């Protein structure tokens, strides 16, 4: 069976989750009368220490609604240059919100207080208005790095001082929570908006919950409706979320541990390069540039051995631990990655051999 480390979005609902979904009490979400969805929103809002929450079909819509509520056309938002918001949301903030993005250059998705300070514009009639700053906890495309709470709070306070709103893209916030022991409400305290994804490591088929003040959620709901995200008997989906919060939080700790042990197993491999922050949560990124091979070719070679990892960019590989890969799967992945790294390293060191003499008929084989 394939060891699939492509993404934690590949996780499938477990039998227990499917049962919970089948049993869900449902109503009409759009009119606020789906009891299971209401229970999920209340539960996540409570977890994040926020007044209210709204169930969204995706994390992408959580980011977009947060931007639409907290900016006006012509405003500018600030985030890191590796972020999901900047790279893989089809420029929704520009296309729908008329907002420009200032993406701060980072190595692993973490920017500094000083960078944030320099990025916030002095109010002038010639400049876009800096309106919102976003922090991705944990970082997604840059290796599951965990933001330091003190830095997050300093950036949040700076934003508020300068009249900006502060947002957390918490797709994997709970991976940070289990990695550090810091609660979700400590991370989200004082932020204007924050959300968690249900369809990543938590293993649900669909959904995310966006939280903020009561007034924020009223406006976020309006955008959800406009964007076509309002639902009917969404309790079937929300039940999966409640089930995951009851049963899969420990799994996130397991995923983090699995990524850490994969890191430990392959970190010394020839030609693989890791950032010093690697292995903090369930995502492990590394470069294969030292092997003289592209990430796509390295990933393809591993897939030949039924280990699926993801090329993100020319040199970078991303492996994401998730509930469908157990310890044996991780050990298998480590074995294959090590073998492929060794094979490519040998090839890189061997001087190009004289071209073999073409045998008659060789081209037709
Ligand atoms: C997956 C992800 C999103 C988007 O969530 P979807 O539910 O896939 O739309 C946003 N931000 C980060 C950091 C993510 O990993």
């Amino acid at each position: 069976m394939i060891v699939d480390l492509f993404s934690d979005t590949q996780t499938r609902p477990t039998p227990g989750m499917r049962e919970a979904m089948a049993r869900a009490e449902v109503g009409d979400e759009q009119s606020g009368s789906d009891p299971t969805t209401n229970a999920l929103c209340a539960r996540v809002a409570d977890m994040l220490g926020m007044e209210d929450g709204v169930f969204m079909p995706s994390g992408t819509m959580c980011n977009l609604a947060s931007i639409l509520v907290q900016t006006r056309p012509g405003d500018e938002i600030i985030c890191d240059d590796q972020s999901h918001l900047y790279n893989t949301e089809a420029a929704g903030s520009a296309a729908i919100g008329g907002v420009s993005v200032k993406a701060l250059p980072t190595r692993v998705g973490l920017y500094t207080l000083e960078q944030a300070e320099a990025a916030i514009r002095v109010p002038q009639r010639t400049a876009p208005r800096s309106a919102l700053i976003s922090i991705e906890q944990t970082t997604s495309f840059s290796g599951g790095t965990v933001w330091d709470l003190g830095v997050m709070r300093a950036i949040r306070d700076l934003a508020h001082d300068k009249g900006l709103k502060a947002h957390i893209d918490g797709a994997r916030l709970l991976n940070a929570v289990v990695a550090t022991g810091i609660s979700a409400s400590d991370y989200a305290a004082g932020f204007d908006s924050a959300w968690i994804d249900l369809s990543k490591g938590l293993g649900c088929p669909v959904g995310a919950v966006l939280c903020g003040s009561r007034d924020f959620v009223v406006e976020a709901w309006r955008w959800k409706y406009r964007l076509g995200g309002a639902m009917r008997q969404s309790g079937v989906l929300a039940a999966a979320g409640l089930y995951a919060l009851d049963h899969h939080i420990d799994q996130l700790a397991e995923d983090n541990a699995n990524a850490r042990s994969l890191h430990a197993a392959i970190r010394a491999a020839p030609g693989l390069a890791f950032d010093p922050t690697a292995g903090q949560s369930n995502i492990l990124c590394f470069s294969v540039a030292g092997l003289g091979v592209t990430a796509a070719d390295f990933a393809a070679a591993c897939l030949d051995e039924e280990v699926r990892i993801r090329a993100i960019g020319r040199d970078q590989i991303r492996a994401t631990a998730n509930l469908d890969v157990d310890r044996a799967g991780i050990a298998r992945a480590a074995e294959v990655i090590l073998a492929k790294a060794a094979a490519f390293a040998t090839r890189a060191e061997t001087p190009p051999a004289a071209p073999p003499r073409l045998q008659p008929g060789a081209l037709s084989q």
Side-chain angles (χ1 to χ4, degrees):
M1 206 184 76
I2 194 160
V3 176
D4 196 345
L5 296 167
F6 186 82
S7 175
D8 47 10
T9 55
Q10 309 288 302
T11 47
R12 288 152 206 258
T14 57
M17 181 177 282
R18 286 173 188 258
E19 243 171 70
M21 294 172 77
R23 278 199 314 269
E25 221 187 300
V26 296
D28 178 38
E29 189 241 9
Q30 210 166 106
S31 59
S33 50
D34 183 282
T36 310
T37 304
N38 292 344
L40 173 68
C41 291
R43 172 122 175 230
V44 177
D46 186 56
M47 251 175 77
L48 298 185
M50 297 283 199
E51 278 179 8
D52 207 354
V54 49
F55 185 53
M56 292 288 201
S58 69
T60 300
M61 198 181 282
C62 291
N63 276 339
L64 182 57
S66 300
I67 292 165
L68 292 168
V69 171
Q70 300 181 114
T71 66
R72 297 190 304 252
D75 283 352
E76 188 167 69
I77 60 180
I78 300 167
C79 62
D80 77 84
D81 65 347
Q82 313 285 317
S83 59
H84 195 281
L85 192 165
Y86 180 53
N87 293 295
T88 46
E89 297 183 8
S93 56
I96 301 166
V99 168
S100 67
V101 179
K102 182 170 245 172
L104 303 179
T106 68
R107 172 77 207 130
V108 290
L110 309 177
Y111 50 86
T112 62
L113 178 63
E114 292 69 30
Q115 274 180 294
E117 200 158 18
I120 297 174
R121 294 177 188 269
V122 178
Q124 289 185 73
R125 64 169 69 106
T126 50
R129 188 178 70 106
S130 302
L132 178 74
I133 194 159
S134 176
I135 286 175
E136 194 177 281
Q137 177 74 308
T138 65
T139 68
S140 160
F141 291 111
S142 36
T145 316
V146 178
W147 276 81
D148 174 76
L149 179 62
V151 176
M152 287 177 72
R153 287 184 169 176
I155 290 171
R156 171 202 70 190
D157 292 346
L158 168 75
H160 289 161
D161 280 351
K162 303 278 186 186
L164 284 76
K165 302 289 188 189
H167 170 72
I168 298 177
D169 172 341
R172 296 187 186 80
L173 178 64
L174 299 183
N175 285 88
V177 168
V178 299
T180 61
I182 296 169
S183 71
S185 59
D186 275 339
Y187 277 125
F191 279 82
D192 302 285
S193 47
W195 61 272
I196 61 165
D197 216 326
L198 303 170
S199 69
K200 302 277 167 79
L202 286 174
C204 301
V206 176
V209 182
L210 172 63
C211 297
S213 69
R214 214 159 272 125
D215 289 346
F216 168 84
V217 169
V218 167
E219 293 306 312
W221 239 113
R222 199 186 301 279
W223 275 112
K224 162 174 145 121
Y225 190 86
R226 282 188 186 130
L227 294 168
M231 295 175 242
R232 304 295 186 192
Q233 286 73 37
S234 58
V236 171
L237 301 172
L242 287 166
Y243 180 88
L245 294 176
D246 284 336
H247 298 97
H248 290 178
I249 303 276
D250 288 349
Q251 178 63 42
L252 298 181
E254 188 72 15
D255 294 347
N256 288 354
N258 281 341
R260 206 162 48 236
S261 71
L262 181 61
H263 180 225
I266 66 174
R267 64 187 303 171
L272 303 187
F274 295 82
D275 275 300
T277 52
Q280 293 185 355
S281 65
N282 70 320
I283 300 173
L284 184 64
C285 285
F286 56 92
S287 166
V288 293
L291 294 173
V293 64
T294 63
D297 285 347
F298 190 84
C302 292
L303 191 57
D304 285 344
E305 308 292 333
E306 306 221 305
V307 169
R308 188 166 177 239
I309 52 182
R310 182 174 182 181
I312 48 164
R314 195 174 62 96
D315 301 327
Q316 283 287 112
I317 294 280
R318 191 176 91 158
T320 305
N322 65 75
L323 66 80
D324 287 339
V325 179
D326 60 12
R327 279 168 195 213
I330 292 291
R332 169 83 190 128
E335 193 185 312
V336 167
I337 291 169
L338 285 173
K340 294 297 171 189
F344 281 114
T346 314
R347 202 179 305 175
E349 275 164 19
T350 313
R357 202 125 29 99
L358 202 59
Q359 297 299 315
L363 290 179
S364 61
Q365 277 172 15

